[in-house]
Amino acid sequence: MDIAALRTANPDHWMKAAAIRALTLDAVAAANSGHSGMPMGMADVATVLFEKHLNFDPKMPEWPDRDRFILSAGHGSMLLYSLMYLTGYEDMPLEQIKDFRQWGAKTAGHPEFGHARGIETTTGPLGQGIANSVGFAIAEEIQRATWGKKIIDHNTYVIAGDGCLMEGVSHEAIGLAGMQKLSHLIVLFDNNNITIDGTVDMADVTDQNARFAAAGWHVQAIDGHDPQAIDAAITAAKADPRPSMIACKTHIAIGHAAQDTSKGHGALTDPAQLQSAKEVYGWNYGPFEVPADIKSQWEAIGARGAQTRADWEARFATLSGTKQAEFKRIFAGEAPKKLSATIRALKKQITESQPKVATRKSSEMTLEVINPIMAETIGGSADLTGSNNTKTADLGVFNPDNRKGRYIYYGVREHGMAAAMNGMALHGGAKPYGGTFMCFTDYARGAMRLSALMGVPATYVMTHDSIGLGEDGPTHQPVEHLAMMRATPNTHVFRPADTVETAESWELALTSQSTPSVLCLSRQGLPTVRTEHKTKNLTAQGAYVLADATGKRQAILMATGSEVSVALAARDLLQSDGIGTRVVSMPCWELFAAQDESYRRKVLPAGPVRVGIEAGVRFGWDQWLLGERGNAKKAGFVGMQSFGASAPAEVLFEKFGITAEDTAAQVKALLGL
């Protein structure tokens, strides 16, 4: 690598890129922690992208029609932070660069959405960024078709590395993007042949160019240090009707003693080697020092977007007042005012007709009234549309021939679906929901965790929520998954008992601004348990008294989902024996825990025996059985202690002891009867 020749051929470009490299070296050295090599290797690509192609405005980072830049190789976060500082983002002053990876700084070890304006998504787990980008690009396609090119017409750019492309989620994302012909998606592959353990061929011999081409992508291979080649490749990518991958051959930690080695991936902190690298760059400045002329050149790049944004604002102003208000509402993530009345009307209809339906069907019934009034919903399923009941007739199917379609056939791609949903929500102007079987939250888990971490209000429709799915057997029967999801911070796990609770859960999910929701829905038919119409959303309280004791209250039965009807039947048995029994429906533990203690005390007073009923494992239930004025000697649980089995649902509930009779017997035993 002849760095002297690169400096001589493109001196202005070289020094702008050198600023990124120097800031990266200084920040990592100050923190004594971080990843230096990728920002150093991809500085040329990033400089050309930001200078010649990216439409952005550091003074208004959330401008709706900006190009999106996603650093999928999130360990190289100093690339993004350097670019933000250099171009003039207000959230990224030099002090933040100096505080890289320190307590309270916006410059976390990996880019964190919400820490600084301009970070589009959280990218630490490799592969998530490129998978998010597919959702960004889908949202852009739908909105371009809906609002017109004068209002929405932008690109999504991604920098991804070998690690991103090795992770399995990338395969799901790449296949989906190619099939959907997402022409405004451009991936810049940092092809440096180095991973933490050594050269890539120690673990992988995949021809990534052929892989992308096989999935329907436009593929180019270039020298990632040649600014003219980079510019030409991005220009060609923007003109192609397919998603594009540009394989940029780069040198990790270019110019450093660790260049082209696995050591170059990590923290390069040796002072002598750092100084030597700067000398190779021709960078004769102190730590964190960027000369005024270079900083002003970068600031000019950032300032360029102000006129582009102003032009967009002028076009937006030509829309009718009604359309402007609707656009602003949708991008603010606010539900339409008529949503509440629509849900109330459905609840009233259900309490009057009292159908016995699976809650997956209840969800479909709710979506049938929601989707027509919320143009921002984008539904989908991981090849289980007929089982998840996620498609309504009005949506239309999103594909290359119908960009206004709002339903996506994701194929068997749970993880890719969940990650794309995050991307849609982060793009703005979209309320994504997607379905699969609840046991396959295992496959979607990585992206679901990031929904919670980022505060992205995606909605996960997880059907076949217990042994009640029956004959498919233990591979498909979730028993530990409720506990797993409830253990995740900032996640609302809804397990509704009937159509009324399902409708209320959907209302809460679609009005959430910063918390993802998981709807756990049954395959088997469930009776309507809310037989008295209440305009109030009782599910919003997390738990409530569904049926109170007649006579002295001696027992409280707590249940969720399909087991609420078991609890009601057990109450009938106990009341017939003179044992006053309260039934508490608990559709959302997280919301109940957030209520005032005075309310929780009214629902769960001290004294009576308590039995929890749920066709899952006990883990987590002790919060309500033993806590909240509970007593270990007066607490029991009716549920699963093992994996399930293959048999009809009613047989399974009987064999595993999840019945009204088993519940009543446990209450009597706790009462010493």
Side-chain angles (χ1 to χ4, degrees):
M1 171 56 59
D2 189 347
I3 290 178
L6 290 175
R7 287 173 54 184
T8 302
N10 303 283
D12 289 343
H13 162 86
W14 177 264
M15 292 306 286
K16 287 196 286 285
I20 296 171
R21 294 174 171 123
L23 286 170
T24 295
L25 285 167
D26 291 338
V28 172
N32 197 33
S33 171
H35 299 266
S36 313
M38 192 283 276
M40 296 163 71
M42 285 296 279
D44 293 305
V45 172
T47 299
V48 173
L49 173 64
F50 272 64
E51 181 174 14
K52 298 185 179 299
H53 296 277
L54 195 74
N55 286 320
F56 70 109
D57 183 358
K59 303 306 180 187
M60 186 174 282
E62 292 86 19
W63 162 40
D65 199 34
R66 68 193 181 279
D67 287 337
R68 279 26 176 211
F69 173 63
I70 296 171
L71 185 67
S72 188
H75 55 277
S77 57
M78 270 309 304
L79 177 69
L80 177 57
Y81 301 151
S82 297
L83 288 162
M84 292 174 68
Y85 161 64
L86 291 167
T87 56
Y89 281 82
E90 293 178 3
D91 278 2
M92 200 57 64
L94 188 59
E95 288 71 24
Q96 288 292 336
I97 303 295
K98 292 179 177 179
D99 285 344
F100 179 54
R101 288 184 165 225
Q102 303 309 301
W103 175 264
K106 296 176 181 179
T107 44
H110 296 81
E112 300 279 356
F113 173 74
H115 283 207
R117 297 172 68 196
I119 299 174
E120 299 285 6
T121 181
T122 296
T123 53
L126 292 176
Q128 288 294 326
I130 190 171
N132 287 167
S133 75
V134 176
F136 275 88
I138 289 173
E140 192 272 342
E141 289 280 359
I142 292 174
Q143 290 167 20
R144 180 157 29 96
T146 302
W147 294 96
K149 294 179 68 172
K150 290 183 178 180
I151 304 301
I152 296 292
D153 187 15
H154 56 261
N155 295 308
T156 299
Y157 295 96
V158 186
I159 286 182
D162 289 293
C164 296
L165 302 189
M166 286 189 208
E167 288 287 357
V169 69
S170 75
H171 182 75
E172 300 183 22
I174 291 164
L176 180 61
M179 174 265 157
Q180 291 287 3
K181 298 182 180 177
L182 302 178
S183 62
H184 286 214
L185 175 60
I186 299 171
V187 172
L188 300 153
F189 168 35
D190 180 18
N191 184 20
N192 61 33
N193 194 43
I194 295 294
T195 65
I196 292 174
D197 280 352
T199 57
V200 169
D201 57 18
M202 292 174 62
D204 190 27
V205 294
T206 302
D207 181 338
Q208 295 293 355
N209 293 10
R211 177 190 177 206
F212 275 82
W217 288 58
H218 171 227
V219 177
Q220 302 172 80
I222 63 168
D223 177 351
H225 300 297
D226 179 345
Q228 284 77 32
I230 298 164
D231 182 25
I234 296 174
T235 300
K238 288 157 67 174
D240 197 275
R242 297 163 291 179
S244 285
M245 188 275 267
I246 304 171
C248 306
K249 190 61 183 173
T250 61
H251 294 272
I252 196 168
I254 186 172
H256 192 279
Q259 176 181 314
D260 298 331
T261 70
S262 59
K263 180 173 173 53
H265 175 88
L268 303 178
T269 57
D270 180 88
Q273 291 180 349
L274 186 154
Q275 188 58 38
S276 177
K278 286 188 175 182
E279 290 173 2
V280 170
Y281 299 155
W283 192 264
N284 303 310
Y285 310 103
F288 299 105
E289 181 183 356
V290 178
D293 62 328
I294 296 174
K295 183 67 164 73
S296 66
Q297 290 175 47
W298 271 111
E299 288 176 350
I301 292 171
R304 186 195 68 229
Q307 185 59 52
T308 308
R309 173 178 59 80
D311 292 343
W312 176 83
E313 289 174 341
R315 295 194 301 273
F316 182 75
T318 65
L319 294 177
S320 69
T322 300
K323 285 188 175 181
Q324 288 187 46
E326 180 71 352
F327 185 95
K328 290 177 180 177
R329 176 192 71 76
I330 290 173
F331 267 81
E334 298 171 356
K337 293 179 180 178
K338 65 176 73 171
L339 176 64
S340 180
T342 301
I343 295 294
R344 286 198 303 271
L346 176 63
K347 286 165 53 178
K348 189 172 190 299
Q349 174 192 331
I350 295 302
T351 54
E352 291 171 354
S353 59
Q354 299 185 17
K356 180 179 181 180
V357 295
T359 48
R360 60 172 175 162
K361 177 63 176 177
S362 303
S363 173
E364 180 184 45
M365 294 161 65
T366 308
L367 288 170
E368 284 172 345
V369 299
I370 288 172
N371 283 335
I373 66 167
M374 293 188 71
E376 62 268 39
T377 56
I378 302 175
S381 170
D383 198 49
L384 290 166
T385 297
S387 294
N388 299 150
N389 294 61
T390 39
K391 185 176 184 292
T392 57
D394 61 299
L395 287 180
V397 175
F398 175 81
N399 58 41
D401 298 321
N402 182 21
R403 292 314 201 192
K404 290 186 178 181
R406 290 160 48 206
Y407 191 81
I408 300 167
Y409 289 116
Y410 286 101
V412 189
R413 298 184 177 109
E414 286 88 359
H415 199 174
M417 173 181 71
M421 286 164 57
N422 282 341
M424 291 177 213
L426 289 163
H427 177 277
K431 284 279 189 181
Y433 68 87
T436 187
F437 288 173
M438 197 168 101
C439 62
F440 300 141
T441 51
D442 289 336
Y443 291 172
R445 167 71 179 159
M448 293 176 73
R449 180 176 187 267
L450 285 173
S451 298
L453 180 63
M454 291 188 283
V456 171
T459 302
Y460 296 95
V461 182
M462 299 302 181
T463 70
H464 297 59
D465 69 341
S466 76
I467 60 170
L469 66 89
E471 293 84 346
D472 270 347
T475 59
H476 284 50
Q477 292 167 3
V479 294
E480 76 276 30
H481 297 73
L482 282 165
M484 175 184 72
M485 291 185 288
R486 288 168 176 158
T488 306
N490 191 40
T491 300
H492 288 161
V493 182
F494 295 98
R495 191 164 184 251
D498 66 1
T499 305
V500 174
E501 284 192 357
T502 303
E504 291 180 338
S505 299
W506 265 113
E507 181 180 18
L508 295 166
L510 292 173
T511 53
S512 171
Q513 289 279 359
S514 58
T515 300
S517 299
V518 185
L519 272 62
C520 307
L521 307 172
S522 74
R523 175 183 184 269
Q524 73 275 28
L526 304 181
T528 298
V529 298
R530 286 274 292 279
T531 55
E532 181 183 349
H533 176 59
K534 301 280 188 182
T535 57
K536 184 178 182 179
N537 187 323
L538 300 185
T539 299
Q541 299 171 123
Y544 60 93
V545 178
L546 178 62
D548 213 345
T550 301
K552 180 183 177 182
R553 186 191 309 120
Q554 299 181 65
I556 299 176
L557 304 180
M558 300 175 284
T560 73
S562 51
E563 286 68 69
V564 171
S565 58
V566 173
L568 289 170
R571 175 184 178 273
D572 290 341
L573 294 175
L574 292 164
Q575 288 286 170
S576 67
D577 287 338
I579 301 170
T581 303
R582 167 181 286 187
V583 172
V584 174
S585 179
M586 305 186 74
C588 184
W589 289 11
E590 296 79 24
L591 291 176
F592 185 51
Q595 301 302 306
D596 292 340
E597 186 185 358
S598 59
Y599 175 75
R600 300 198 312 273
R601 187 185 299 114
K602 288 178 183 177
V603 176
L604 297 178
V609 302
R610 298 182 186 180
V611 174
I613 316 167
E614 189 169 70
V617 297
R618 177 167 171 161
F619 194 87
W621 269 96
D622 287 351
Q623 177 180 1
W624 315 115
L625 294 171
L626 311 184
E628 299 286 338
R629 299 156 300 281
N631 183 332
K633 295 180 180 178
K634 301 171 71 175
F637 180 71
V638 172
M640 298 295 293
Q641 298 180 16
S642 66
F643 292 105
S646 183
E650 59 275 13
V651 174
L652 293 171
F653 278 97
E654 178 186 350
K655 296 295 185 183
F656 284 108
I658 308 175
T659 68
E661 291 75 15
D662 291 299
T663 303
Q666 190 160 153
V667 168
K668 290 178 180 179
L670 289 168
L671 289 171
L673 300 176

